[in-house]
């Protein structure tokens, strides 16, 4: 077998501090571009010679070709064993599980998550370490450093191997195993949840729709919900992963999963609705006539997780990303367990999970997870919800109303301004940063600022400090505003404004969130001058 060393040059691309590389698919398709980044990963992680790697992605356009390249480069870089999902598929949480279960050195996961796929869409690649989670900052820093200095990559001259049949191929010193991507994940879920209770609920006529959005979760949801739990055929829709996600945008928000939201609001709604994103790590859940914010979902899962067998002994602690609403903190307070506030991004939960400080964690951006893997996990959240509903024998809407009555309601919304001029967005943030010291005590459109800062996080496990994670403004009556720029957008800048208010009085809970949050939304505009500075009159996406 011939191994070629190909001259290359440093690439532009990865933003330092992000856990992978996300670009337009056509950028990745340029000769040598993907190769360059893969070599940077292999070197940045300290070499993969003699190691086992898990490889798979969400099935988007270029997934299969990229996997062939990565296999050949892993062979050339001396990997001992490659575990590849059949068809090149692994949902992100399933890949995390396989890394952990096989004791692999790490994994290469191909996805641009909830961003559209196709030749004109987005593509992405990231490295997860031996704990199954996104590489920590030290490692991504090394990878980034390699991208700026790399001069050559190594690739084996072998023909493509078939990804469609389960089996083993030996390439030089590397064993390549094509495995069923679903099997191990099913066993993991069986160990955590009371499958018999959920099946009994379906048998008794419980109805559900799961929208897999033609993305990675389809085969998992079909096997578990319809195959094992006995939900009627057709419960899982858009179940076949497609390279362009069927022309859709695999983001389960009210805009891109509109059909599901409309169904759940209609008279013919099933009992329960759910959807996940491109790579299967995000989820949303809906009840008949009930919308659940991801922040509330996290809080309610924390309050009820002990009803499922995998969490019977209770939770060690919980964590949420800073912009996520503080609803879960109130549950933790009542349970007497610690609640951590971390910067945005799943990697910050990794240390807390590895150290046993938390059991459950989540983000407002439709991510929920637990210590079972080191990624957020869409289908896991849906199954935990089903388990809770099966045990409580109540509708999602009732569970939510009772939760609010017990803990108070945290009204919450996120307003996104997408593809904003990057310089204008930076200037808006810089100006806010400059205002911070002057804000406490000031009244903004009738709301009095209590404190204001640019969020910094000290990791309680390793002591590392992460700064400038978002402008956080707390008001005297429980309102909160957070401003930050997206780290995952692929066009210009995305400004995210997170708007929250706490309402303890149950008589005031049945109000539309946008209405209830009106005064806080006004304060956001007054403080940040969004209209004038971005030229936008309204947010592009409201969740
Ligand atoms: C977004 C979400 C964040 C999530 C990340 C990766 O990042 O807001 O919660 O961890 O995607 O899925 P952002 O674009 O805001 O930087
Ligand atoms: Zn995702």
């Amino acid at each position: 077998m011939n191994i070629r060393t190909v001259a290359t040059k440093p690439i532009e691309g990865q933003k330092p501090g992000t856990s992978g590389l996300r670009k337009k698919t056509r950028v990745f398709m340029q000769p040598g571009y993907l190769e360059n980044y893969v070599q940077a990963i292999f070197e940045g992680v300290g070499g993969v010679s003699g190691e086992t790697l898990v490889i798979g992605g969400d099935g988007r356009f270029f997934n299969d070709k990229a996997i062939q390249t990565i296999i050949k480069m892993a062979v050339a870089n001396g990997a001992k064993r490659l575990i590849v999902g059949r068809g090149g598929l692994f949902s992100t949480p399933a890949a995390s599980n396989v890394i952990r279960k096989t004791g692999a050195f790490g994994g290469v996961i191909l996805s641009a998550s909830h961003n559209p796929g196709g030749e004109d869409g987005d593509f992405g690649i990231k490295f997860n370490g031996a704990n199954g989670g996104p590489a920590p900052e030290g490692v991504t820093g090394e990878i980034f450093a390699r991208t700026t200095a790399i001069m050559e990559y190594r690739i084996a001259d072998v023909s493509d191997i078939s990804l469609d049949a389960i089996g083993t191929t030996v390439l030089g010193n590397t064993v390549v195993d094509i495995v069923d991507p679903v099997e191990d994940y099913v066993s993991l879920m069986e160990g955590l949840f009371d499958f018999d209770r959920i099946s009994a609920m379906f048998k008794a006529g419980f109805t559900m729709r799961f929208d897999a959005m033609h993305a990675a979760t389809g085969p998992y949801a079909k096997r578990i919900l319809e195959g094992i739990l006995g939900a009627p055929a057709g419960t899982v829709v858009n179940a076949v992963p497609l390279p362009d996600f069927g022309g859709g945008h695999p983001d389960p928000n009210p805009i891109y999963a509109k059909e599901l939201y409309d169904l759940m609001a209609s008279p013919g709604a099933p009992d329960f609705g759910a959807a996940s994103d491109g790579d299967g790590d995000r989820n949303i859940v809906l009840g008949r006539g009930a919308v659940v914010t991801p922040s509330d979902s996290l809080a309610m899962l924390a309050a009820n997780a002990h009803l499922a067998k995998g969490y019977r002994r209770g939770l060690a602690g919980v964590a949420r990303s800073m912009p996520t609403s503080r609803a879960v903190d109130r549950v933790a307070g009542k349970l007497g367990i610690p609640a951590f506030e971390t910067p945005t991004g799943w990697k910050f939960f990794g240390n807390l999970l590895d150290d046993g400080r938390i059991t459950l964690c989540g983000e407002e951006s439709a991510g929920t997870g637990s210590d079972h893997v080191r990624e957020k996990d869409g289908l896991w959240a849906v199954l935990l919800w089903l388990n809770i509903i099966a045990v409580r024998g109540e509708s999602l809407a009732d569970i939510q109303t009772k939760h609010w009555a017990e803990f108070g309601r945290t009204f919450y919304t996120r307003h996104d301004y997408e593809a904003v001029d990057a310089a204008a967005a930076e200037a808006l943030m810089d100006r806010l940063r400059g205002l911070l010291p002057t804000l406490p005590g000031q009244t903004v459109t009738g709301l009095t600022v209590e404190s204001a800062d640019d969020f910094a996080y000290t990791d309680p496990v390793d002591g590392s400090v992460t700064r400038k994670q978002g402008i956080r403004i707390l008001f005297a009556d429980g309102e909160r505003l957070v401003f930050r720029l997206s780290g995952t957008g692929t066009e210009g800048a995305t400004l995210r404004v997170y708007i929250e208010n706490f309402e303890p009085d149950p008589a005031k809970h049945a109000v539309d969130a946008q209405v209830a949050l009106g005064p806080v939304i006004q304060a956001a505009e007054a403080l940040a001058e969004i209209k004038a500075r971005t030229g936008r009159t309204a947010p592009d996406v409201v969740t």
Side-chain angles (χ1 to χ4, degrees), residues 26-361:
R26 287 188 195 276
V27 173
F28 270 103
M29 290 168 71
Q30 297 170 84
Y33 190 89
L34 169 75
E35 288 84 343
N36 217 326
Y37 191 65
V38 172
Q39 188 67 39
I41 290 179
F42 289 166
E43 293 179 14
V45 300
V48 296
S49 175
E51 306 287 6
T52 296
L53 292 174
V54 173
I55 302 171
D58 63 8
R60 66 181 62 223
F61 186 87
F62 195 54
N63 188 65
D64 47 356
K65 291 215 166 59
I67 286 181
Q68 297 290 355
T69 300
I70 296 166
I71 292 174
K72 291 171 196 174
M73 291 186 64
V75 168
N77 281 273
K80 181 175 79 183
R81 183 178 175 213
L82 305 177
I83 303 171
V84 184
R86 182 178 48 205
L89 281 183
F90 265 128
S91 75
T92 294
S96 178
N97 178 46
V98 173
I99 294 169
R100 294 166 65 77
K101 203 178 151 181
T102 57
F105 174 71
V108 180
I109 301 179
L110 306 174
S111 173
S113 190
H114 49 290
N115 289 333
E119 203 162 359
D120 294 311
D122 293 340
F123 195 80
I125 172 168
K126 69 170 180 172
F127 183 82
N128 280 27
N131 73 346
E137 302 230 305
V139 174
T140 56
E142 284 297 319
I143 295 172
F144 174 71
R146 296 306 305 152
T147 65
T148 64
I150 199 152
M151 296 308 285
E152 58 187 36
Y153 67 84
R154 282 201 295 285
I155 188 159
D157 268 332
V158 286
S159 44
D160 286 0
I161 68 166
S162 163
L163 301 177
D164 293 327
I166 287 173
T168 298
T169 312
V170 178
L171 298 173
N173 295 323
T174 311
V175 174
V176 184
D177 287 318
I178 308 292
V179 303
D180 175 355
V182 178
E183 199 171 278
D184 287 332
Y185 185 81
V186 171
S187 331
L188 181 67
M189 295 300 117
E190 259 166 349
L192 293 173
F193 302 120
D194 305 290
F195 273 18
D196 42 351
R197 297 201 71 154
I198 306 175
S199 330
M201 179 168 76
F202 279 120
K203 202 168 253 155
F206 183 83
T207 53
M208 165 175 188
R209 173 172 294 187
F210 183 96
D211 191 339
M213 305 192 87
H214 286 303
T217 323
Y220 297 84
K222 204 92 192 144
R223 176 98 58 102
I224 296 177
L225 296 172
E226 296 183 13
I228 301 175
L229 297 172
T235 296
V236 182
V237 300
N238 302 323
V240 179
L242 296 175
D244 66 346
F245 306 115
H249 198 128
D251 186 344
N253 69 22
I255 293 183
Y256 302 119
K258 185 170 186 308
E259 220 179 295
L260 180 70
Y261 279 81
D262 287 350
L263 173 74
M264 295 308 295
S266 75
D271 294 307
F272 185 65
S276 56
D277 73 330
D279 60 331
D281 57 355
R282 296 186 177 201
N283 78 91
I284 50 111
V285 293
L286 299 163
R288 180 182 290 129
V291 173
V292 180
T293 68
S295 295
D296 271 349
S297 178
L298 174 64
M300 288 188 268
L301 291 178
N304 292 284
H306 63 279
L307 299 176
K309 75 176 175 201
Y311 304 94
R312 199 143 287 155
R313 279 171 301 157
L315 310 175
V318 292
R320 62 167 171 84
S321 65
M322 182 275 280
T324 303
S325 99
R326 293 163 293 172
V328 72
D329 301 16
R330 297 188 178 94
V331 175
K334 198 150 185 178
L335 293 173
I337 57 173
F340 297 87
E341 183 176 41
T342 61
T344 298
W346 208 259
K347 65 183 171 197
F348 295 97
F349 296 136
N351 274 353
L352 299 171
L353 290 164
D354 285 346
D355 204 48
R357 294 184 190 226
I358 60 168
T359 311
L360 238 58
C361 46

Side-chain angles (χ1 to χ4, degrees), residues 22 113-114 281-282 321 344-346 363-365 376 414 484-489 496 498:
R22 211 173 274 182
S113 190
H114 49 290
D281 57 355
R282 296 186 177 201
S321 65
T344 298
W346 208 259
E363 296 193 272
E364 51 65 42
S365 53
K376 53 196 177 232
R414 185 177 101 186
R484 61 179 281 282
L485 297 184
S486 158
T488 62
R496 302 203 197 284
Y498 309 80

